[in-house]
Amino acid sequence: MYQIAVLPGDGIGPEIIAQAVRILKSVGQKYHREFKFNEALVGGAACDATGHPLPGETLELCRNSDAVLLGAVGGPRWDKLPVHLRPEAGGLLSLRKELGLYVNLRPVKVFPALAEASPLKPEVVTGVDLLVVRELTGGLYFGKKYRESLPGGGIRAVDTLEYTTAEIERIARFAFEQAGRRRQKVTSVDKANILESSRHWREVVTAAGREYPEIELEHMYVDNCAMQLVKNPRQFDVLVTENLFGDILSDQASVLAGSLGMLPSASLGGSTGLYEPAHGSAPDLAGRQTANPIAAVLSGAMLLRYSLDLKDEADCIERAVARVLDLGARTADLAEEGKAPVNTIQMSDRIIEQIARES
Ligand code: IPM
Ligand code: MG
């Protein structure tokens, strides 16, 4: 029996997570696995109910689970709260930090059926299969931040970007290990022509790379990488980078796959893995059942693969998603001109049908 903590969160979080859970149940049934789903509050929903975006109970449940499946947090309703009570900083970032999740894996794989759905040319995106390895508990997100009043009026607002050798080493090793299971190439992304933390990053990644002589290592400035991602994305296998660069580049890379609604993620490195779609809470879409559930569903597949070691079950979900896309189902974010989109529930129904058919 596997214990899975389910944290739907805010905005479209609850509706897409409900579908991811249905799909995990259906694959569990097929393979005779017993999943126990235990729901808890996080983000704005937790703030409203308990006064805090990461209640102690939720953290306890996550720590005692085999894996955590999370929807999304945040929304305009909570934007005025003090930083430590906001869904993003007080909820999601605290959860990542508390669970020690220093790696965020964001695979960007272009399903053949969706090559036409990307705003980029099909010949550019066809065959793209890359993995963003984003550092998740350091950098600008967690560095000292403050404001101070200036004598002549106005304020100075400060964020700091720091990385220790140990923080860089462990994420670099993770990236090299991943590349060893893929196409043996790591691109480390930094801004070493300007930032001291990036010069350190480059030195430490280079040194770690010597432990992996079979893996090709290249370094790329982040501005160039942003350009290369849309110009020639097939050159990339594994991209490893600091927290904020990874946040930005992964949103950008998601467009290769057709939509941000396609991009799953796994946060690893601690005792319990956390799985969440890379998109946000999309408050404008919330409650309408129009959001694409696939990022959440594929996050569920990553959960099976990485935390529960259920590879066949994960493959089954991924194949079912590919098949449903081949058969033409599209949610609004991917919809083709003149064709009616399916809604969140209909997309999931089709995936469940395919799972039943998979051999
Ligand atoms: C993401 C999101 C989060 C981040 C936000 C919601 C705090 O954008 O997971 O990429 O910036 O890490
Ligand atoms: Mg982001």
Side-chain angles (χ1 to χ4, degrees), residues 72-74 87-89 92-93 96 104 106 134 136 141 243-244 246-248 250-251 260 265 267 276-281:
V73 302
E88 296 87 351
L92 185 56
L93 265 53
R96 290 171 178 170
N104 186 224
R106 296 187 164 180
R134 168 186 175 193
L136 202 60
Y141 275 63
N243 206 343
L244 183 65
D247 178 48
I248 298 169
S250 59
D251 266 36
L260 188 50
S265 92
S267 301
E276 51 173 321
H279 59 68
S281 57

Side-chain angles (χ1 to χ4, degrees), residues 160-193:
T160 49
L161 172 44
E162 41 183 278
Y163 271 107
T164 65
T165 307
E167 283 175 318
I168 303 167
E169 261 169 8
R170 62 184 185 180
I171 188 82
R173 291 207 176 101
F174 213 102
F176 286 115
E177 299 285 342
Q178 290 293 318
R181 287 180 219 129
R182 298 170 47 96
R183 299 193 309 280
Q184 321 279 326
K185 181 176 171 190
V186 169
T187 305
S188 174
V189 180
D190 63 36
K191 188 71 184 173
N193 47 350

Side-chain angles (χ1 to χ4, degrees), residues 12 15-17 19 22-23 288-294 331 342-349 351:
I12 57 170
E15 50 207 273
I16 53 160
I17 287 303
Q19 301 312 317
R22 275 180 74 208
I23 282 160
R288 291 164 40 191
Q289 297 289 355
T290 56
N292 186 349
I294 292 181
T331 39
V342 298
N343 71 22
T344 310
I345 299 167
Q346 290 162 334
M347 178 58 99
S348 310
D349 289 345
I351 297 170

